[in-house]
Amino acid sequence: MKAVIQRVSQASVTIASKIVADIQKGLLVLVGIEDADTQEDINWLCQKIANLRIFGDENDVMNLSVKEINGDVIVVSQFTLHALTKKGNRPSYIKASKPEIAIPMYESFVQKMENELGKKVQTGIFGADMKVLLVNDGPVTIVIDSKNKG
């Protein structure tokens, strides 16, 4: 499971001209799921994201987590995180899970993230054509792959 975590001062998701998610200070998390992912990947990744110390403390040192600042989170599914680009110019998405596998995993990820944060997480809609707007604060962008925990 891959995730791109972006520290934001504002983020929203719009589908068919309707805003379905909207936050201020917090995280925008893009999640890519592959068939080899398990609940263990979800648990590890959600715990890691909820506790990443990437927000400034009173000395403006990145020392606080989204949980500690009571920030909000938007989770968006993004199969393109598993793009294979070695051959040619058209990415292959063969490693990305099909909806029958990815949707339950995505829903489990959102539920686990809510449990880690102790609050509701906003989301896009799986498989929808989404417009994601964000103000990346810092900028701070971190990529995590649950298959590379070391």
Side-chain angles (χ1 to χ4, degrees):
M1 186 169 286
K2 291 183 181 178
V4 174
I5 300 107
Q6 296 179 82
R7 186 179 77 181
V8 299
S9 56
Q10 178 183 350
S12 65
V13 178
T14 302
I15 300 171
S17 300
K18 181 179 184 230
I19 295 173
V20 297
D22 188 21
I23 65 169
Q24 297 303 308
K25 190 172 188 176
L27 299 175
L28 172 66
V29 180
L30 308 174
V31 179
I33 299 164
E34 64 179 320
D35 289 352
D37 291 330
T38 66
Q39 188 64 45
E40 181 182 325
D41 292 292
I42 291 169
N43 294 345
W44 180 83
L45 193 52
C46 287
Q47 186 276 332
K48 180 65 83 175
I49 292 168
N51 293 293
L52 272 178
R53 295 174 8 178
I54 59 174
F55 290 90
D57 62 15
E58 64 278 356
N59 298 314
D60 207 27
V61 174
M62 286 198 287
N63 206 24
L64 301 173
S65 69
V66 69
K67 204 159 46 171
E68 292 170 311
I69 66 154
N70 197 30
D72 292 312
V73 174
I74 296 177
V75 176
V76 174
S77 62
Q78 185 151 6
F79 73 93
T80 60
L81 292 180
H82 286 289
L84 298 174
T85 58
K86 272 189 169 180
K87 293 183 181 177
N89 294 315
R90 181 180 301 194
S92 168
Y93 304 107
I94 193 133
K95 285 188 72 176
S97 290
K98 301 286 185 257
E100 57 271 12
I101 293 172
I103 291 172
M105 293 291 286
Y106 173 73
E107 291 171 349
S108 181
F109 183 93
V110 170
Q111 181 63 55
K112 179 64 177 172
M113 197 80 236
E114 289 178 342
N115 292 345
E116 286 289 335
L117 296 172
K119 67 192 294 187
K120 185 89 173 123
V121 168
Q122 296 187 48
T123 65
I125 296 176
F126 189 94
D129 180 18
M130 296 176 267
K131 307 302 179 213
V132 179
L133 178 69
L134 69 133
V135 177
N136 191 320
D137 182 20
V140 175
T141 301
I142 297 173
V143 178
I144 301 177
D145 187 334
S146 66
K147 303 301 187 229
N148 294 319
K149 293 178 186 148

